[in-house]
Amino acid sequence: MSARFGPAGNSDSFSKVHKSSADAPGWIAGLGLDCYEYQCGKGVHVGEETARKVGEKAKEAGIALSLHAPYFINLANPDPEALQKTIGYITSACRVSQWMGAERVVIHSGALMKRTRREAQDIALRSLREVVAACDDQGFGDIILCPETMGKINQLGDLDEVLELCTVDERLLPCIDFGHLYARSLGADDGAEAFDRMLSRVEEVLGRERASRFHSHFSHIEFTPKGGEKCHRTFDDDGGYGPDWTPLAAQVAARGWSSTFICESAGTQAEDALEMKRIYESFR
Ligand SMILES: [Zn+2]
C-alpha cells in the first residue's frame, strides 16, 4: 500500500490555463499525483451536473476525490438551531460527494466560544453523534467524515481532541493537518520524534488499520506566538516556515501506511504535493 498525494483545490498554475474544475483531475493525473480535494470552504454551491462531471473525469483519470466542507462549521456551538444548520451543511457536502464519487468529507472541529476545552469538546461530541445519525438517515453512510485538527489555539481540534471525536463512530477518520498542529504548538510539533509520537498516538487510539488510512493536510504555515496559525505558505517561501516534510515522509513510508496527503500550500499546492510525493518515494 502506498500513500496518496494531491492538491487542495486548484493551484495557480492550473487556473492560469483552465477555467473548469472538471479539467483538474486529468491535469493532476498528468503531473503524476493521485488525489484531489474539492473545495466547498465558502459554502456548498456546486450543482449536480458539475459534480457528476468532476466525478466522471476523476474516475477516468484514476484520481481519488475528497471534499472540504464549509470552514464555518462549528461542532462546539451548543445552540440547537446552529446544530441543525451544521447538519444541513454537512449533509449537502455529502450529497455533492455522492454525486462526485468522493470518498471523504473534511469538517472543521469548532471554536471554544469562551468555554473550557473540555466543555467545548463535550458539545462537539454530542453534535457529531447527531451529524453521523443524520448522514445515515439520509443515505450518506458510505461517506467518511474527517474531523480536522485546527491551527488556532482558541479553536477546538488538537490531535487528542480530533482523535476523541473519531471515537464517536468507527467509520470516522482524522484529518491531521500537520501545518495546523505545528502552528498551534508554536513550532514544537515538528521533526522525527514529534511525528513518531503523533502517528503512534493515532495508532493507539484508532488501531493500526484505521490509523494507516488517515486523511491529512500539509503545508508550511506562519504562526504568531499568541494565536497560532497566521497563514499558509509555500515550500519556496523563505523565512524558515515549517513543519518539515522529510521526517514525516520517512515515518509514513517506514510504517507502510496508505494515508492521503492533501497539500494546502498557498498557490503552489500541486507542485508542492509533487515534491512531497517525490521525497516520500525516496524512502520506500
Ligand atoms: Zn480545513
Side-chain angles (χ1 to χ4, degrees):
M1 287 302 275
S2 181
R4 301 187 288 196
F5 297 88
N10 297 330
S11 64
D12 293 345
S13 53
F14 172 83
S15 302
K16 244 184 244 165
V17 188
H18 298 277
K19 289 278 167 283
S20 163
S21 289
D23 294 333
W27 185 86
I28 290 163
L31 289 179
L33 293 168
D34 320 295
C35 51
Y36 177 45
E37 190 151 290
Y38 194 89
Q39 301 295 299
C40 290
K42 291 176 184 147
V44 184
H45 304 301
V46 47
E48 181 167 359
E49 200 184 329
T50 308
R52 290 196 186 277
K53 191 148 189 207
V54 172
E56 261 166 48
K57 298 279 187 181
K59 208 170 172 196
E60 274 169 34
I63 292 292
L65 294 176
S66 51
L67 186 141
H68 200 308
Y71 302 136
F72 42 80
I73 285 173
N74 177 7
L75 295 173
N77 188 335
D79 175 43
E81 244 172 74
L83 176 59
Q84 288 316 308
K85 279 191 188 153
T86 293
I87 289 173
Y89 299 136
I90 296 176
T91 52
S92 327
C94 287
R95 188 167 301 111
V96 170
S97 296
Q98 223 166 44
W99 290 333
M100 274 185 193
E103 305 158 7
R104 300 176 174 188
V105 169
V106 174
I107 51 177
H108 283 184
S109 306
L112 296 182
M113 299 173 80
K114 304 207 166 92
R115 290 184 173 76
T116 65
R117 302 202 74 86
R118 191 63 246 172
E119 284 167 341
Q121 175 77 352
D122 286 337
I123 298 166
L125 285 163
R126 279 203 300 276
S127 303
L128 189 55
R129 274 186 209 106
E130 297 210 28
V131 166
V132 170
C135 287
D136 279 335
D137 279 352
Q138 296 183 37
F140 304 127
D142 54 334
I143 309 269
I144 299 172
L145 300 179
C146 305
E148 181 179 352
T149 62
M150 303 304 296
K152 293 200 169 78
I153 293 162
N154 64 5
Q155 283 172 315
L156 198 64
D158 63 22
L159 182 60
D160 276 324
E161 286 161 350
V162 163
L163 292 175
E164 190 186 13
L165 289 175
C166 287
T167 63
V168 160
D169 188 281
E170 63 186 16
R171 289 166 293 181
L172 300 168
L173 290 177
C175 174
I176 306 174
D177 188 317
F178 288 94
H180 284 167
L181 293 176
Y182 167 86
R184 73 180 302 142
S185 69
L186 309 182
D189 284 350
D190 194 10
E193 225 170 276
F195 294 134
D196 183 42
R197 170 177 47 78
M198 288 190 260
L199 297 185
S200 297
R201 181 74 186 136
V202 179
E203 185 173 330
E204 187 182 308
V205 179
L206 303 181
R208 177 170 301 179
E209 190 281 325
R210 200 169 156 203
S212 72
R213 293 181 287 119
F214 78 83
H215 197 77
S216 177
H217 290 164
F218 191 93
S219 66
H220 287 177
I221 290 219
E222 182 174 353
F223 62 83
T224 63
K226 265 195 159 166
E229 176 183 8
K230 185 178 171 204
C231 60
H232 287 226
R233 290 283 182 169
T234 74
F235 287 1
D236 275 345
D237 279 338
D238 299 327
Y241 305 111
D244 188 3
W245 167 247
T246 302
L248 178 55
Q251 288 281 340
V252 174
R255 287 167 190 256
W257 285 8
S258 51
S259 324
T260 296
F261 286 94
I262 298 295
C263 181
E264 288 194 331
S265 288
T268 57
Q269 57 270 52
E271 290 77 7
D272 290 355
L274 201 56
E275 173 73 356
M276 288 169 65
K277 184 170 180 177
R278 192 187 60 74
I279 293 171
Y280 165 79
E281 295 286 353
S282 76
F283 288 111
R284 293 187 81 221

